[in-house]
């Protein structure tokens, strides 16, 4: 660069006050410095070096800009300049350069928590998991007990995106080893270790960590939330830990987490009991009313559902300022959507639309229009309903696909299978490589009795995506349901189980093969296991039918009754009961 070119660029930089930013305050929004003054060594040579670094950066020569800035940081012994060097390295996607600058900063200021945190974050970003151990130890060592508890709780989140979850778990356990017997920090440490083990798919290890945490402090919220996350058919002991805690004085947050887990696993009656308790214990806890209302709606208790959801809205009103323009929170949007559904089911279509009109959330436009479309469809205005979905603006590439899904769901839910089939058939031309669309088309073909087409399409999905277990299961179940080629049906369903061994719906399909093959006791065993793992109306229909077939009609009726409670309008269940004379 010649002299005149250099001076021209210096003049341009000075006009943008880039240098002034370095001399008068933190760089690029950095937090206030904790070390002493860092520009006391500024001289003409350093000043020139900073200028050259910024010139190179403006010209796009990131490598030279980084080298100049790191050299300046070392000369000035300046935390702000080390931070600037890291930033330049990141801008040029120079991970190793960012690490070198962070390490140099940490060496220059060994007691600086800011330097240590940068070092840790850069290592994490580079996926150098094993090397994060020492920075983590230094970070925890400088904290008070209460600060350490909070910091420990964040560790699983820090490592959530790492590729080697097992190594991350080992590193965190080594770092937290000194805390494990401490009654103040130990419960949080064990809970963090449990969460790390859970991320590494070590369920038993996570459960053991929860037990250790509770042993130190039976009231540890972190430990109970870990146990809640572990709840499932394979870990009944986790729920025992939670239930024991709930028998005391639980926090609303823990009871809420427990209820959500119950609802997610379709244990709706148990979830509803928890929400009744929570809304009694703490009636001003909004989230409980929202979940309670959704459960009441699902159970067709429309009056109760509307009251609960209105209570949620009253406890969580829209922003007072700019009500017509302020975007609502997710919970409030959900409440109004559910209120609209309540009114729709009660045949109060104007009220249903009015609830939708209350929602102010541009990102939820498609969800709102789907609900509005369903109201129109139930009024016999199917063409208007479909147009309501199609008229939603497409702001990003995925929106067109989402609108297609919404329209197909509308047609499926209103039992317009032929039109759904035609729409999906057209979509295969637009999305020829989309196996989800081909799979959905196969399911619509089955609804229309086009079993040859369905089988051809499912085999097409399997050929295109050999690990798509839904296609194996659907084809195997279809063969079993028609009582044909049972050996092939069993092979297909076993293949699906190889990909998803714990899927209760695939277990249900295998049970149906056994039933069609005359192995009724094995069918009952499999169906009972499936229903226990996932209470579902369709599994209830099959279990009830097999029990009915072996003469256990009272047991069958009890299972069907439970299934109706889960999903009153389920087609498979209601048809099975009518066919066998078990009502409705």
């Amino acid at each position: 660069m010649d002299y005149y070119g250099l001076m021209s660029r210096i003049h341009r930089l000075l006009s943008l006050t880039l240098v002034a930013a370095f001399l008068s305050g933190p760089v690029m929004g950095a937090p206030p410095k904790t070390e002493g003054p860092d520009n006391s060594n500024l001289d003409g040579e350093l000043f020139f070096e900073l200028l050259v670094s910024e010139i190179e950066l403006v010209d796009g020569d990131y490598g030279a800009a980084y080298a100049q800035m790191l050299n300046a940081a070392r000369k000035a012994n300046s935390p702000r300049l080390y931070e600037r060097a890291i930033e330049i390295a990141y801008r040029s996607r120079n991970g190793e350069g960012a690490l070198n600058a962070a390490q140099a900063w940490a060496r220059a200021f060994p007691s600086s928590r800011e330097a240590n945190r940068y070092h840790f974050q850069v290592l994490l970003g580079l996926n150098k998991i094993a090397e994060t151990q020492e920075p983590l130890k230094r970070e925890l060592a400088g904290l008070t007990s209460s600060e350490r508890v909070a910091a420990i709780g964040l560790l699983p989140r820090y490592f959530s995106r790492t590729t080697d979850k097992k190594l991350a778990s080992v590193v965190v356990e080594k770092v937290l080893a000194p805390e494990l017997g401490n009654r103040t920090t130990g419960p949080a440490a064990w809970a963090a270790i449990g969460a790390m083990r859970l991320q590494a798919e070590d369920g038993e290890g996570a459960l053991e960590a929860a037990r250790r945490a509770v042993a130190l402090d039976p009231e540890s919220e972190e430990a109970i939330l870990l146990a809640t996350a572990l709840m499932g058919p394979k870990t009944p002991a986790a729920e025992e830990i939670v239930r024991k805690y709930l028998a005391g004085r639980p926090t609303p947050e823990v009871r809420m987490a427990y209820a959500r887990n119950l609802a997610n696993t379709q244990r709706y009656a148990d979830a509803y009991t928890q929400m009744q308790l929570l809304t009694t214990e703490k009636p001003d806890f909004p989230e409980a009313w929202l979940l309670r209302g959704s459960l009441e709606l699902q159970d067709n208790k429309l009056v109760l559902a509307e009251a609960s959801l209105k209570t949620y809205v009253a406890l969580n009103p829209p922003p007072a300022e700019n009500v017509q323009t302020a975007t609502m929170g997710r919970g409030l949007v959900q409440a109004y959507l559910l209120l609209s559904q309540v009114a729709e089911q009660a045949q109060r279509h104007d009220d249903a639309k009015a609830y939708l009109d209350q929602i102010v959330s541009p990102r939820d436009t498609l969800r709102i229009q789907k609900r509005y479309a369903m109201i129109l469809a139930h009024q016999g205005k199917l063409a208007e309903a479909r147009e309501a979905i199609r008229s939603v603006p497409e702001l990003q590439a995925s929106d067109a696909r989402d609108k297609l899904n919404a329209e197909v769901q509308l047609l499926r839910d209103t039992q317009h299978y032929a039109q759904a089939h035609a729409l999906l058939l057209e979509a295969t031309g637009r999305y020829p490589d989309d196996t989800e669309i081909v799979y959905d088309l196969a399911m619509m073909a089955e609804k229309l009795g086009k079993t040859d087409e369905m089988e051809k399409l499912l085999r097409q999905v399997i050929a295109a995506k050999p690990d798509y277990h839904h296609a194996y299961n659907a084809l195997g179940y279809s063969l079993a349901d028609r009582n044909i080629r049972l050996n092939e049906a069993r092979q297909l369903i076993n293949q699906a189980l190889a990909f998803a061994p714990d899927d209760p719906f695939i277990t249900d399909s295998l049970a149906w093969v056994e039933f069609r093959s005359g192995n009724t006791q094995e069918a009952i065993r499999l169906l009972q296991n499936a229903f226990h793992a996932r209470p579902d109306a369709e599994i209830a229909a099959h279990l009830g039918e097999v029990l009915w077939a072996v003469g256990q009609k009272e047991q069958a009726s009890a299972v069907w009754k439970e299934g109706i409670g889960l999903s009153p309008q389920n087609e498979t269940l209601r048809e099975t009961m009518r066919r066998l004379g078990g009502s409705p």
Side-chain angles (χ1 to χ4, degrees), residues 130-148:
E131 296 175 38
T132 62
Q133 186 172 329
E134 291 307 316
L136 275 179
K137 284 182 178 179
R138 287 194 294 271
E139 173 66 16
L140 295 178
L143 302 175
T144 65
S145 292
S146 60
E147 290 173 335
R148 206 150 58 243

Side-chain angles (χ1 to χ4, degrees), residues 366 369-370 372-373 376 383-392:
L366 183 56
Q369 288 298 91
K370 280 173 61 179
Y372 184 69
L376 291 171
E384 290 181 44
R386 296 180 71 175
E387 181 56 33
I389 293 173
R390 292 183 175 186
S391 65
V392 174

